[in-house]
Amino acid sequence: MLLVKGETMNSKTFTLMMTLLLVASCADEPAEEQAAATDAPSRQEVGSKPNPERNAYFGDLHVHTRYSFDAYIFGTRATPDDAYRFAKGEALTHPAGFTMQLAEPLDFYSVTDHAFFLGVLPAMADPSTEISKHPDAGKFTQFETVADRVAAFGGARDYIDPNSEKFAQIHDLTEVSAAWAAIIDSANRNNDRGQFTAFIGYEYTSGPESQNLHRNVIYRDDRAPEIPFSRLDSPNPEDLWRWMDKHRAAGIESLALPHNSNGSNGQMFSLTDFSGRPLDAAYAELRMRNEPLVENTQIKGTSDTHPLLSPNDEWADFEIFPYRIATSLDSDVNGSYVREALLNGIELQTKKGFNPFKFGLVGSSDTHNASWSGNDDNYYGKVGMMDSDPVKRGSVPLPASGEDGPRYANTYYHLWSGSGLAAVWAEENTRESIYAAFRRKETFSTTGPRIKVRFFGGTNLPEIDSATLIKDAYASGTPMGGDLTVSDDLPPEFIVWVAKDAGDAPLERAQIIKGWIENGSAREMVYDVACSNGLQVDDETHRCPDNGAGVDLDNCSILGEGAAEFKTKWTDPAFDPEQGAFYYVRALQNPTCRWSTWDAIKAGVAPREDLHPTIQERAWSSPIWYTPPDRD
Amino acid sequence: MTKIFGSSLFWFLLIGVAIFIVDARLNQPTDRIVVDDRIITRIAGLWESQMGRRPTEQELRNLVENWINEEILFREAKRLGLDKEDTIVKRRLVQKMHFLAEEAEVEEPDEAGLRRYFSENAAGYELPRRYSFSQVFYRQQPNDEDLRVLDGNADWRGLGDATMQSRSFVQKSEREIAAEFGIEFAAALGELAAGDSWQGPLMSEFGWHHVLITAVDEAAIPTFEMVQHLVINDYLHEARTEAKLKQLAELRDQYEVIWAPAEKSRE
C-alpha cells in the first residue's frame, strides 16, 4: 500500500541508478567531496557491495504466464519477459484490458509455469504448428465466455492420462522443450546481478484426486535440465526429488517449494509416503535435501494453521481456503497445515530420530496474470478473465440481484487473498546469495506488506540496544532457520526485531509461536512478546491489551495508532531442556480493509456480509529449532 | 443473325462491357466502418453492466478503438473465406488474426541500431536526482546537543538508536528513500543541500533522524555502455509491439472509418 507522491520512477531508472552505483564503486576515484577530515562518514556502498549483516529482499517465486495451460485458457498472453519487466516496475496489461503496475519494484521473481503441457496451448493457437491441426485445438484456444474457459479448463483433464490416445495426440515434447528454452532464456536475460534476480523455475503439478501436491522447482544458476519433470513423468513427489538429486549430482542445483497444503486433503504433510508406508529416516533425508522451504501463504489461502488445529490461537482464522485444488470438495484439515506439520516433525524427531518437516517459510502469489497483486487496495485477482472484476470475484453483487438481497457470483474467488511475498536476509541481490538464504532457511513470509523481521536465538545474545546488535547476534546465536545451541541447560533467549512497511499500516503486536513435545504429545502456544502504543504484555495470559486500532468502513481509512518497530528480547518461561521445540515469529499489522471491502467501497455497495471486512496483514519468520542433546 | 455475331461492333461492345464490369469490381470504394450512436451505446452499456459505472472518456475511446480493430480483422477474415455472420465465429477469427500479428518475427539489432535506439530514447534512461547520505536514528525526539556532538565525530555510528534501515545510502532516489523511510522523510530530505554538517531532525515513519548529506547528484543521462544490457531488452520489446501495430495499421489503411455519434452531453 505504498502511496508515493510526486515522481514515480520506472524500473529502468531504478536499475540504472544501481548500475551507476556499481560503476561508481568500481571506479578508482578519490573519495567525493567530503570534509577533509578522515573522521567524516565513509561512503558505505549499500547495495553495491555485499553486506555481511545482510539486507532484506522481497520477491515472488510463483508466477504463471501464457506458457501455463490454465493461464492461457484464462486469457493471459503475457510472456516471461513481460512478467520480469512487471516485477522491475514496468506497466503490464491485464487480459481484461486494464493496466497493472507496481508502485515499488520487487527484488526477485521466478516465472514458474506448469511443466504439464508447458507451451502447448500457445502452440495450438499458432496456425503454423502441427499441433494446431488437432481437432481439439480449438477447444483450448478459442473462448467467447467465462463459461467456455471453465469448460476448457475442465476438459484438459481428459488429456492427463499418459496412456490415453488423447494424451499422445496433444503432448508434443518439441513444444514443451521450445517453451522451456524460452523460459530459461528469459530468466537469464532479465537477471541483473546486484539489482534484480530472476530465477529459472517451473511448477510440478501433481494432484491425485484433486489433493494438491504441487511444488515449484527453483534453479539456482543459469542452467536447467532439458525437459522439466512433470506429473506426466510421475505423480509421486518422491520421484521428483530423486530426479532433482540426479541433476544436482551433475551440477544443476535446485530446490522444490511446496504450496497450498491447505488444499491437499491431508496429503502434503501426511505421515505416510506416497505408497502408504510410514515415513522413515531415508524419506526425511530425501525430502529435506530437496525441500528446505514451504510457501505458507498465497492467493489460494494461508496454510499456517486452522482454527480446529489451534483453538487457542485467536488469529488462526485467517484467510482459510478449505477446498481441494480446482474443486469445491472439502480438504481435510489434518495434514494440511504448516504448524501441525512442524509439530509432527519434532515429534518424529523425539520418537524416531528424524524430522521430514523441518522447513523454513516463504510466501508467494500464484498469479496467473504474470503480475503480483498482493496489495489489498489494488487487487485484481489471479485467474485472468475469470476473476478480472469485482462482480466475477464475488465482492460486488451481480447486476441481476433482486429485492431479496444481494446475490453474488457462484464461485469461491471471494475466499481468495491478496497475498503474499517471499523474503530473505542475504548479502546482496544475486542468485547465489539469495539462493543460499533459501538453503539455510533465513527466510520469512508476508501476506503482502514489506514488513521486515529479524529473529535470533541463543543463550549469549547481545543486549538489544547494542550498537553492534546484528553482528553480535549472528556471532553468538542462530538466525531464523537454524538450530539453537543451548549451554548449561540455560533457557534460550530470543531477539525479535520487526519493522513495518514504511508505506503501510502500523504494527499491532509481535508474537512468538512455540511448539514442543511434552510427555510424547505435541503442544503449541502463542506468546505475545511486544505490544504497540506503550502497552505491556500480561505475564499470565501472555497477551497485549487491545490497542484500539480499527478501520473506517466508509472509506477504508485506518484509525488509531500502532508501532513502527518492535525490538525486544524474550525468554521462554516454560523452557525444558528435555523437550524438543521450535519457535517462530508472527508479527501483525493493525487492521486494514480486505480487498473485497475495497472493491465494495469503490463500487459504492455494502461489503459482502459473509466475509471479514478487515484483515490483519502479517509476517512469519522461519522457525528456530531446539533439539535436546541426547537425540539427534 | 450471323450478321450480328459477325459484326465487329457487337464484339467491341461486348468486350467494352466486360472491361467496364471488371474495372468496376476492381475499383470498389474502400470499406466503410461507421461508428454510430447505437454502437457506442452498446459498448458503453456492456462496460457499465460489468463494472457498475460508466466508462470514462479515455476508457470509452479505448473500447471503441478495440471494437474498430475487431471489425476490421473480422472483415479481413471473412474475405479469407468464412461467410457466417455470427459473434462466436467472428471472435474466433479475430483471435486467429491477432495471433498471427503477435508472433511476428523480429530481427536482432546490431550495435549501431542499439545506439540509435538509445539516443532516440535517452530521456527514458535518465537517472533521477539521487542523494547520498548517512543517518542517525532516534526513537525520541533529539535535541540540539545531540546534533552538535555529531559534527566531526568519528564514532557517529555508535550514537542514536539502532535502526533496521542502513546507516548510509549511496545515490538513492526520492522514491527509494520513501520506500525505506516514508514519504514525508524523503520529501524533507529533498529540500536539504549537501554539506559538511549534520542536519535535522527529520521525521520518518520510525522516529527522528539526523542526516549528513554527502552528495546530491542531479538528474543525468547515463552513457550507452552503462545501460547496454537494458537497451537490448527494451529494443526487442518495442520492436515486437511495433510489428504487431504495423500489421494492424496496414490493414486499416484499406478502410475508411466514419464517426457518426449523435450529439449528446457526456459526463
Side-chain angles (χ1 to χ4, degrees):
Chain A
M1 225 160 68
L2 181 64
L3 312 159
V4 181
K5 298 193 294 232
E7 174 195 35
T8 55
M9 176 169 58
N10 67 22
S11 68
K12 276 191 296 209
T13 37
F14 166 68
T15 314
L16 286 174
M17 267 190 41
M18 300 314 295
T19 312
L20 206 60
L21 187 63
L22 264 172
V23 170
S25 69
C26 294
D28 199 11
E29 46 181 47
E32 358 38 53
E33 47 279 279
Q34 314 171 347
T38 53
D39 50 3
S42 69
R43 265 191 148 183
Q44 281 178 35
E45 254 104 83
V46 175
S48 70
K49 275 208 308 246
N51 173 9
E53 291 183 9
R54 298 180 180 143
N55 305 313
Y57 296 108
F58 294 91
D60 191 355
L61 297 172
H62 197 158
V63 177
H64 292 274
T65 72
R66 63 184 280 146
Y67 286 122
S68 285
F69 77 98
D70 52 357
Y72 194 88
I73 289 171
F74 301 147
T76 295
R77 295 294 175 269
T79 62
D81 271 353
D82 293 329
Y84 288 119
R85 296 177 74 88
F86 173 84
K88 294 181 192 183
E90 305 273 341
L92 179 63
T93 308
H94 185 281
F98 54 84
T99 302
M100 308 178 289
Q101 190 163 15
L102 289 175
E104 188 61 31
L106 290 170
D107 299 310
F108 60 91
Y109 218 53
S110 180
V111 164
T112 54
D113 284 304
H114 293 289
F116 167 66
F117 288 163
L118 185 71
V120 168
L121 262 69
M124 277 184 185
D126 177 356
S128 72
T129 65
E130 266 310 296
I131 205 172
S132 67
K133 317 260 191 296
H134 188 283
D136 283 348
K139 190 159 71 174
F140 292 114
T141 55
Q142 289 152 13
F143 317 104
E144 172 63 21
T145 61
V146 166
D148 285 350
R149 297 181 193 274
V150 171
F153 183 59
R157 288 192 154 95
D158 295 343
Y159 294 81
I160 284 174
D161 180 2
N163 299 319
S164 79
E165 206 202 295
K166 284 198 161 188
F167 168 82
Q169 287 169 352
I170 290 278
H171 189 237
D172 185 343
L173 273 182
T174 51
E175 294 303 340
V176 171
S177 76
W180 184 227
I183 289 168
I184 292 172
D185 178 59
S186 177
N188 288 336
R189 261 183 305 102
N190 284 284
N191 189 52
D192 199 358
R193 275 190 74 81
Q195 336 292 353
F196 177 84
T197 294
F199 288 108
I200 297 168
Y202 75 92
E203 179 169 348
Y204 166 82
T205 322
S206 167
E209 292 163 51
S210 305
Q211 301 170 123
N212 184 77
L213 292 179
H214 301 185
R215 19 299 261 158
N216 287 2
V217 181
I218 308 289
Y219 289 91
R220 181 186 66 194
D221 301 312
D222 58 355
R223 298 174 330 283
E226 259 217 52
I227 305 270
F229 188 99
S230 80
R231 82 204 283 169
L232 302 170
D233 297 297
S234 168
N236 180 353
E238 295 151 47
D239 291 331
L240 169 71
W241 301 331
R242 282 184 263 269
W243 176 82
M244 289 165 65
D245 276 348
K246 193 178 71 177
H247 285 284
R248 189 176 301 117
I252 297 183
E253 168 60 40
S254 65
L255 58 82
L257 186 55
H259 55 266
N260 277 137
S261 58
N262 53 350
S264 71
N265 199 35
Q267 295 310 303
M268 187 65 88
F269 301 122
S270 166
L271 295 175
T272 56
D273 67 13
F274 200 78
S275 327
R277 293 184 300 250
L279 304 182
D280 59 15
Y283 176 95
E285 269 172 40
L286 175 64
R287 183 163 184 155
M288 288 316 306
R289 185 165 55 244
N290 289 287
E291 298 198 343
L293 301 174
V294 164
E295 180 190 293
N296 77 339
T297 185
Q298 57 132 278
I299 293 177
K300 298 202 305 297
T302 288
S303 300
D304 175 37
T305 191
H306 189 281
L308 291 175
L309 296 172
S310 304
N312 296 324
D313 180 351
E314 299 92 302
W315 299 268
D317 181 13
F318 177 76
E319 300 295 293
I320 300 291
F321 186 65
Y323 303 123
R324 301 192 214 176
I325 195 78
T327 73
S328 36
L329 293 172
D330 279 341
S331 175
D332 267 0
V333 167
N334 287 98
S336 300
Y337 289 87
V338 158
R339 194 182 303 172
E340 188 205 34
L342 291 169
L343 286 167
N344 283 335
I346 57 174
E347 188 171 340
L348 284 167
Q349 181 80 62
T350 301
K351 294 180 173 162
K352 306 216 176 133
F354 60 83
N355 184 347
F357 305 131
K358 197 173 177 187
F359 44 76
L361 302 176
V362 290
S364 277
S365 70
D366 197 6
T367 174
H368 280 57
N369 303 328
S371 58
W372 183 85
S373 76
N375 292 320
D376 276 46
D377 60 352
N378 192 24
Y379 173 75
Y380 30 71
K382 165 177 130 82
V383 286
M385 297 306 296
M386 317 278 284
D387 63 350
S388 56
D389 64 55
V391 173
K392 289 186 193 153
R393 308 195 261 278
S395 53
V396 162
L398 294 162
S401 289
E403 284 142 15
D404 30 316
R407 276 175 48 237
Y408 293 95
N410 185 21
T411 68
Y412 46 55
Y413 301 141
H414 59 290
L415 297 176
W416 283 359
S417 312
S419 225
L421 276 182
V424 302
W425 291 100
E427 295 81 3
E428 49 181 353
N429 189 343
T430 63
R431 279 171 165 166
E432 297 79 17
S433 187
I434 294 179
Y435 190 91
F438 293 157
R439 273 282 168 200
R440 65 174 183 272
K441 308 168 203 170
E442 199 175 357
T443 67
F444 55 104
S445 166
T446 91
T447 55
R450 295 181 204 201
I451 300 167
K452 292 180 183 168
V453 181
R454 287 267 200 198
F455 186 41
F456 294 90
T459 42
N460 241 337
L461 293 179
E463 291 309 308
I464 54 166
D465 49 14
S466 155
T468 50
L469 175 69
I470 298 298
K471 183 160 140 261
D472 296 341
Y474 273 117
S476 58
T478 176
M480 60 184 76
D483 291 281
L484 271 176
T485 42
V486 156
S487 48
D488 302 325
D489 285 352
L490 283 172
E493 303 172 311
F494 296 89
I495 290 177
V496 175
W497 190 5
V498 184
K500 66 173 276 226
D501 178 334
D504 213 309
L507 299 171
E508 193 214 23
R509 70 186 73 201
Q511 308 174 312
I512 287 182
I513 298 170
K514 177 187 179 188
W516 74 99
I517 306 300
E518 184 171 321
N519 299 330
S521 324
R523 300 283 179 83
E524 64 178 80
M525 172 94 175
V526 174
Y527 291 92
D528 285 3
V529 302
C531 314
S532 50
N533 305 341
L535 301 165
Q536 299 299 318
V537 180
D538 181 303
D539 281 335
E540 305 218 342
T541 62
H542 305 290
R543 288 288 178 271
C544 299
D546 187 346
N547 74 353
V551 175
D552 180 345
L553 288 177
D554 285 336
N555 54 24
C556 283
S557 58
I558 55 182
L559 309 169
E561 316 247 299
E565 282 194 300
F566 295 123
K567 200 157 164 230
T568 190
K569 202 190 248 189
W570 180 78
T571 308
D572 181 355
F575 178 71
D576 181 334
E578 301 302 313
Q579 295 171 346
F582 62 78
Y583 304 81
Y584 65 106
V585 172
R586 181 172 65 189
L588 301 169
Q589 271 185 190
N590 275 349
T592 47
C593 268
R594 190 173 188 269
W595 65 265
S596 41
T597 308
W598 278 106
D599 276 354
I601 306 271
K602 287 175 190 172
V605 303
R608 182 168 169 160
E609 279 182 0
D610 58 347
L611 292 174
H612 290 300
T614 64
I615 52 169
Q616 286 186 267
E617 304 265 20
R618 57 199 62 187
W620 303 264
S621 71
S622 286
I624 290 177
W625 285 268
Y626 169 73
T627 308
D630 48 341
R631 295 234 185 265
D632 191 351
Chain B
M1 215 37 174
T2 45
K3 236 188 153 189
I4 294 170
F5 286 111
S7 152
S8 43
L9 178 59
F10 169 78
W11 285 110
F12 180 82
L13 281 175
L14 193 64
I15 289 164
V17 166
I19 289 171
F20 177 82
I21 291 172
V22 168
D23 183 61
R25 295 206 95 116
L26 284 179
N27 287 316
Q28 253 175 11
T30 54
D31 281 38
R32 302 160 102 234
I33 294 178
V34 179
V35 183
D36 64 13
D37 199 48
R38 177 183 64 85
I39 285 165
I40 294 175
T41 307
R42 182 160 65 84
I43 292 172
L46 267 171
W47 171 275
E48 188 169 354
S49 72
Q50 283 228 320
M51 302 303 281
R53 62 166 176 86
R54 298 248 188 97
T56 64
E57 269 208 57
Q58 179 64 51
E59 283 167 346
L60 186 61
R61 263 202 292 280
N62 289 341
L63 290 169
V64 172
E65 280 294 302
N66 285 343
W67 182 89
I68 291 172
N69 285 335
E70 268 197 18
E71 190 61 27
I72 288 168
L73 291 171
F74 170 65
R75 295 191 193 185
E76 278 304 306
K78 254 208 311 185
R79 234 170 238 148
L80 295 178
L82 225 78
D83 54 8
K84 273 201 185 144
E85 172 104 39
D86 173 337
T87 335
I88 291 176
V89 169
K90 172 177 174 177
R91 284 279 169 87
R92 286 180 179 173
L93 291 172
V94 166
Q95 267 182 348
K96 276 218 135 114
M97 296 297 294
H98 265 305
F99 196 91
L100 289 175
E102 263 171 36
E103 296 294 300
E105 285 295 323
V106 158
E107 262 185 46
E108 288 272 334
D110 58 3
E111 186 175 312
L114 288 176
R115 280 185 184 274
R116 208 167 30 244
Y117 177 86
F118 173 69
S119 64
E120 281 162 17
N121 292 284
Y125 293 96
E126 190 186 41
L127 302 171
R129 197 159 191 250
R130 287 145 289 146
Y131 304 86
S132 305
F133 67 99
S134 298
Q135 59 103 6
V136 174
F137 168 66
Y138 307 85
R139 284 230 185 77
Q140 314 295 329
Q141 185 160 14
N143 54 36
D144 295 335
E145 179 64 16
D146 292 318
L147 182 60
R148 208 192 49 76
V149 306
L150 285 172
D151 280 332
N153 192 335
D155 294 323
W156 66 273
R157 283 186 196 81
L159 297 177
D161 296 314
T163 167
M164 185 80 85
Q165 287 68 40
S166 303
R167 289 207 171 83
S168 289
F169 295 85
V170 178
Q171 296 182 324
K172 297 289 179 185
S173 70
E174 191 172 317
R175 198 220 64 203
E176 288 176 292
I177 295 169
E180 282 290 320
F181 293 99
I183 301 170
E184 280 92 15
F185 177 93
L189 191 80
E191 306 280 303
L192 304 174
D196 299 337
S197 302
W198 289 82
Q199 306 177 62
L202 278 63
M203 253 194 86
S204 76
E205 288 293 311
F206 302 97
W208 286 264
H209 307 257
H210 284 140
V211 296
L212 180 77
I213 303 178
T214 47
V216 175
D217 292 291
E218 292 307 325
I221 296 182
T223 67
F224 172 76
E225 286 74 15
M226 283 173 176
V227 298
Q228 192 165 355
H229 60 299
L230 299 173
V231 174
I232 295 176
N233 271 352
D234 292 340
Y235 180 100
L236 288 174
H237 179 80
E238 190 181 280
R240 275 186 210 107
T241 311
E242 271 181 12
K244 179 174 172 182
L245 290 174
K246 185 163 167 264
Q247 266 205 30
L248 269 175
E250 272 166 10
L251 288 174
R252 191 138 168 185
D253 274 343
Q254 297 162 37
Y255 291 82
E256 183 188 338
V257 178
I258 297 171
W259 289 72
E263 285 301 310
K264 65 176 183 178
S265 58
R266 295 257 182 93
E267 274 175 12

